[in-house]
Amino acid sequence: MEQEIVKVFNEQHEQIGTATRAEVHEKGLWHETFHCWLVNENYIYFQIRSAQKKDYPGLLDITAAGHLLAVETAEAGIREVKEELGLTINIQDIVKMGMTSCSIVSENMIDNEFCHVYLYPFEDNWDAFELQYEEVSGVVRAKLDEAEAFFLGKTGTLNIEGYEYFPDGQRARLVRPVSTAQFVPYRELYVADVIRFAKSAMYNR
């Protein structure tokens, strides 16, 4: 996976070449990713990153996301929803929010991304998920209004509910408050922007 080839860009999002995933993270090169958020009128969904992941193990993250390979269009990233969550969705059913940039510097890497952001209107069905366990260990949700206040910094904790899934087909219910420490460190206000877009563009609230 680290040897997959991705496009490399300058800060103006002009392509300047290609490199491996390992190289873009080692050198801090700008590259493209795909984000797909599952939302509905009441909830926004997050994945729990597998404890086996090298980066941010066990933290809450975008419902489904991944790197776009050099040969892929932004919409081709929809494969990540199938790969990570086991959901088959049609490209016609996802709503494009737009592109944003995100830069995260950690011990292991410099991650400079141009993120193509999409939303999928998901009707509640916990049985629909078939997780890729080396990538994702669970799925949880939070109420839209509560999540918006939390990501705007108005509240210190967020109540989540959902399930941790196991390879034998079993699942364990999760209901608990979480803090920002339990989330991958996104660009400030990114998730609040996603929620605001969901409310206005998809649900007219």
Side-chain angles (χ1 to χ4, degrees):
M1 188 176 287
E2 288 297 296
Q3 297 309 306
E4 291 175 340
I5 303 298
V6 299
K7 296 174 186 173
V8 174
F9 300 84
N10 62 20
E11 291 187 13
Q12 287 72 47
H13 195 231
E14 298 165 336
Q15 187 179 348
I16 56 175
T18 59
T20 65
R21 280 183 56 168
E23 287 178 299
V24 298
H25 290 151
E26 180 184 330
K27 299 176 181 177
L29 304 174
W30 285 92
H31 55 288
E32 290 184 317
T33 57
F34 170 89
H35 293 181
C36 186
W37 291 92
L38 270 56
V39 297
N40 58 37
E41 282 191 78
N42 300 309
Y43 294 100
I44 182 168
Y45 289 74
F46 301 89
Q47 67 162 257
I48 304 172
R49 292 171 66 87
S50 168
Q52 302 172 36
K53 295 281 284 185
K54 183 179 78 170
D55 304 307
Y56 310 114
L59 293 189
L60 296 165
D61 201 358
I62 300 150
T63 335
H67 287 73
L68 290 174
L69 304 181
V71 296
E72 290 183 313
T73 62
E75 288 78 12
I78 200 171
R79 64 175 168 75
E80 294 287 349
V81 184
K82 178 66 174 177
E83 290 174 10
E84 294 188 351
L85 305 179
L87 295 180
T88 301
I89 64 178
N90 294 318
I91 193 72
Q92 296 85 0
D93 295 330
I94 61 174
V95 179
K96 184 172 185 177
M97 176 175 161
M99 190 183 74
T100 187
S101 60
C102 183
S103 184
I104 302 175
V105 179
S106 65
E107 290 180 33
N108 301 326
M109 63 178 175
I110 305 167
D111 197 11
N112 289 323
E113 298 181 356
F114 289 111
C115 316
H116 295 273
V117 185
Y118 295 83
L119 281 69
Y120 175 69
F122 179 68
E123 298 310 317
D124 303 340
N125 181 4
W126 296 104
D127 295 328
F129 297 113
E130 295 180 16
L131 304 185
Q132 184 181 17
Y133 294 104
E134 61 270 25
E135 297 281 336
V136 183
S137 63
V139 179
V140 300
R141 69 185 185 185
K143 290 183 178 178
L144 274 185
D145 291 336
E146 292 180 7
E148 183 177 24
F150 173 75
F151 285 105
L152 286 172
K154 295 178 180 179
T155 56
T157 58
L158 177 64
N159 293 313
I160 60 166
E161 62 175 2
Y163 291 93
E164 187 172 9
Y165 291 76
F166 303 102
D168 63 1
Q170 299 295 309
R171 66 188 186 191
R173 181 114 170 103
L174 294 175
V175 180
R176 65 171 185 251
V178 292
S179 68
T180 53
Q182 273 82 58
F183 286 88
V184 172
Y186 313 114
R187 173 179 64 77
E188 189 178 5
L189 301 184
Y190 167 53
V191 185
D193 289 342
V194 169
I195 294 168
R196 199 173 293 127
F197 177 83
K199 286 181 173 183
S200 62
M202 298 176 69
Y203 298 109
N204 299 312
R205 292 172 61 185

